[in-house]
Amino acid sequence: MKLVISSNRVAVGNKLRNYIESRLQQSFQRLDRWVQKVSVCLDDINGPRGGVCKQCRLVVTLNGAETVVVTETGSSVGASVSKAIRRAGFAMTKRVKSRQDRRVKKISHRHLPGIELATSPELSELDDPQWGKSP
């Protein structure tokens, strides 16, 4: 998984970078083989005025060129990153599950040559003397 972190008016230090990496690894641990690239864009919407203004935009590129885009806003960078990663994890799980369901449905509907249901004439219910009798 390739990780790209960009920021606009937000200082990204080693502590924040390590936090983002660890949260991504925790949340995407089961989905790691489907994730090709993760882009994290951090922004301070209101600038120095304060308020609920820290935004995290997460773009996850899955194998097969599918993307999951999540945008979250919070009072701190950590909170918005955490919310965005959690929501992206749910969305990716849903996408991967639907992919797997489609694949299973395609495989289960295929006709396998050489395998047919056989009926045996000696097991006919009309010929069986015990058929219909209760023990």
Side-chain angles (χ1 to χ4, degrees):
M1 167 176 71
K2 183 179 177 184
L3 176 63
V4 177
I5 300 174
S6 61
S7 65
N8 189 17
R9 296 181 291 234
V10 175
V12 179
N14 286 336
K15 188 175 180 180
L16 181 59
R17 184 176 299 276
N18 290 338
Y19 175 73
I20 292 170
E21 288 176 0
S22 68
R23 288 287 295 139
L24 284 171
Q25 287 176 351
Q26 286 175 351
S27 187
F28 297 173
Q29 186 176 11
R30 296 176 291 121
L31 307 167
D32 194 35
R33 66 181 181 188
W34 288 287
V35 178
Q36 187 176 6
K37 179 182 173 182
V38 178
S39 298
V40 180
C41 183
L42 304 171
D43 192 11
D44 188 359
I45 299 169
N46 291 339
R49 291 182 289 186
V52 179
C53 60
K54 308 297 190 254
Q55 185 181 58
C56 175
R57 180 183 199 123
L58 202 64
V59 180
V60 181
T61 306
L62 301 173
N63 296 337
E66 264 186 288
T67 59
V68 173
V69 180
V70 175
T71 304
E72 271 296 330
T73 306
S75 58
S76 69
V77 175
S80 60
V81 166
S82 185
K83 287 181 197 176
I85 290 173
R86 187 172 352 115
R87 281 187 52 209
F90 288 135
M92 287 172 35
T93 302
K94 193 174 179 180
R95 289 252 177 108
V96 168
K97 184 169 177 6
S98 70
R99 263 192 201 177
Q100 289 174 339
D101 289 346
R102 281 188 305 227
R103 185 168 180 238
V104 167
K105 191 179 282 187
K106 283 181 184 178
I107 291 173
S108 65
H109 286 17
R110 288 185 185 159
H111 174 70
L112 299 175
I115 299 177
E116 297 179 17
L117 294 175
T119 57
S120 176
E122 62 270 0
L123 294 179
S124 171
E125 60 192 60
L126 298 175
D127 296 336
D128 189 3
Q130 297 296 321
W131 183 260
K133 295 181 182 176
S134 60

